[in-house]
Amino acid sequence: MLEALIKDMGANLDWQMLVVYALFFSPAVILGILFTRSFLREPRQFRNAIYLLATILWLVLLLILRFSQMWTVYVIAALFALFPIVTCTFLVINGIIVIRREGLSLTSLLPMGLALFILLMYCVPMYASQDEFLLGVTALFFFEGLWFSFTFVALLMYSWLYRILPKNRRYDYIIIHGAGLDGEKPTPLLAGRIDRALELWNRQGCCGKFVASGGQGDDEVVSEAQAMYDYLVEHGVPQEAILMEDRSRTTLENLKYSQALINADAQYQECSAAMVTSDFHVFRCAEYAHNLGIRADGVGSHTRGWYWPTAFIREFAAITKAHFWPYLVIAALWLLPSVIRIIGA
């Protein structure tokens, strides 16, 4: 019936071409549906980032295959060749800037560590072809590196998307995540978070309560919660509008202990919350909140541009640790042929 209708309209229906298009576009459609369904159900999930980037890459590949000209091949080849050089140069420069401003530490070395990883991923395969064992190990490193690179880009893109989602709700509680002290005063990074929380509070008519969340580090004279409390009071917030959570040492503990405070204060009634942290840290907080069953939105404060790459690499490392199973699956698939050969022998 459909074919007859199209012919009556003066067109010819090529079923073979339709089948080919359906086969080529079906992965993008399936991935797009998975992303939409998962995003609408819960936007605070890492798998959303994977679905979204996979959908985009597949569509881009189809467009290149459909409309490719020779110049596009040259452009893609040039970008592929220049990517490690440009990226590594940027990361090394950023690492030097961070070390100069923050001092030498494991965190400040993260950009240079990523630059080294990219160079190894591109260069090692060129020198491994002479040795069978080394070639096999290089293959494992390469495929692990591909997944690493894919998830890095996926998280970078999706965490940006999550941050810009409209958040116009009124919050009963505004959780502020600690970020270090300078003596008894908040560091500029922490002060930025508190100022962002104050902005939210003022926007909703000075309603709701703050949860100042952060314990006392070994090198700190007071708890981060106390420093935040003092800062909020100095900026006109009534003392009774501030809850102090001064036991936490990690992001997960920030949320666990804050949740307990909120439940006790709200007498376990349903309430809404915002988690205010630096923009690079928003998605990880949101994912942890989802895992803990906390109904909360992530809200980000501005981070200085020179510090952002280092901070995001650290966030990516933490999220990768929480979602490490794909690396184990890749390693298992890499080992499978060797195991089969041993059993067969």
Side-chain angles (χ1 to χ4, degrees):
M1 182 179 296
L2 178 61
E3 186 174 5
L5 179 62
I6 292 177
K7 284 183 177 180
D8 289 340
M9 296 170 62
N12 293 319
L13 181 64
D14 189 338
W15 286 106
Q16 290 182 338
M17 187 59 67
L18 283 177
V19 171
V20 170
Y21 274 110
L23 288 174
F24 274 105
F25 277 95
S26 58
V29 172
I30 292 171
L31 289 166
I33 292 173
L34 287 173
F35 167 73
T36 303
R37 181 173 179 271
S38 180
F39 180 82
L40 292 176
R41 289 182 64 183
E42 178 50 72
R44 302 172 298 173
Q45 297 185 97
F46 180 58
R47 67 186 181 192
N48 295 343
I50 304 302
Y51 291 150
L52 179 59
L53 182 58
T55 302
I56 292 173
L57 289 179
W58 191 264
L59 288 174
V60 169
L61 176 62
L62 290 179
L63 290 174
I64 291 174
L65 291 175
R66 176 63 181 83
F67 301 105
S68 64
Q69 302 292 330
M70 201 60 196
W71 67 268
T72 61
V73 176
Y74 294 143
V75 170
I76 293 171
L79 289 174
F80 189 81
L82 291 174
F83 170 78
I85 299 172
V86 174
T87 304
C88 292
T89 302
F90 168 78
L91 288 170
V92 169
I93 293 173
N94 179 252
I96 293 171
I97 293 172
V98 173
I99 290 172
R100 284 181 175 177
R101 298 197 180 200
E102 298 287 313
L104 184 64
S105 66
L106 185 60
T107 299
S108 63
L109 289 173
L110 285 175
M112 294 186 182
L114 183 57
L116 178 62
F117 172 82
I118 293 172
L119 284 176
L120 289 174
M121 187 176 172
Y122 273 81
C123 298
V124 167
M126 301 177 186
Y127 299 97
S129 58
Q130 306 301 321
D131 185 278
E132 184 177 353
F133 174 77
L134 186 58
L135 185 62
V137 173
T138 301
L140 174 62
F141 175 74
F142 182 77
F143 286 115
E144 298 278 18
L146 282 179
W147 178 251
F148 177 94
S149 304
F150 176 81
T151 53
F152 187 89
V153 175
L155 182 63
L156 182 63
M157 179 177 64
Y158 186 74
S159 61
W160 173 81
L161 175 64
Y162 178 80
R163 289 200 310 275
I164 66 171
L165 289 175
K167 301 177 179 68
N168 297 318
R169 296 196 309 181
R170 178 191 178 282
Y171 299 106
D172 300 306
Y173 294 91
I174 301 174
I175 304 169
I176 311 173
H177 287 257
L181 301 178
D182 182 8
E184 297 183 7
K185 300 292 183 180
T187 59
L189 188 68
L190 180 53
R193 297 181 182 184
I194 306 171
D195 289 339
R196 184 73 174 96
L198 283 166
E199 180 185 327
L200 278 181
W201 189 67
N202 288 319
R203 191 180 69 191
Q204 61 185 32
C206 300
C207 296
K209 293 184 178 182
F210 294 95
V211 180
S213 179
Q216 183 175 348
D218 296 334
D219 58 344
E220 293 174 339
V221 295
V222 297
S223 68
E224 294 173 359
Q226 183 64 57
M228 286 188 274
Y229 176 92
D230 294 340
Y231 189 99
L232 289 168
V233 170
E234 288 174 6
H235 285 75
V237 179
Q239 296 179 7
E240 59 272 17
I242 308 171
L243 303 178
M244 287 179 57
E245 184 287 294
D246 58 4
R247 296 185 296 155
S248 59
R249 294 294 189 95
T250 66
T251 298
L252 193 59
E253 289 182 353
N254 282 145
L255 292 170
K256 280 183 178 180
Y257 299 151
S258 295
Q259 182 184 30
L261 272 180
I262 290 171
N263 287 339
D265 187 72
Q267 297 182 350
Y268 292 89
Q269 296 180 4
E270 186 175 346
C271 56
S272 62
M275 304 167 296
V276 180
T277 184
S278 301
D279 50 10
F280 61 82
H281 193 223
V282 167
F283 182 74
R284 180 153 67 102
C285 288
E287 187 182 36
Y288 284 173
H290 165 62
N291 294 338
L292 292 170
I294 302 173
R295 181 171 169 248
D297 293 327
V299 179
S301 63
H302 177 69
T303 304
R304 294 177 182 177
W306 60 267
Y307 187 69
W308 208 95
T310 300
F312 182 79
I313 294 169
R314 186 176 60 185
E315 291 300 300
F316 175 72
I319 291 176
T320 297
K321 183 180 178 181
H323 300 275
F324 198 72
W325 65 266
Y327 293 92
L328 300 178
V329 171
I330 293 171
L333 292 174
W334 176 76
L335 283 171
L336 186 60
S338 300
V339 173
I340 293 174
R341 282 199 301 269
I342 293 172
I343 294 174

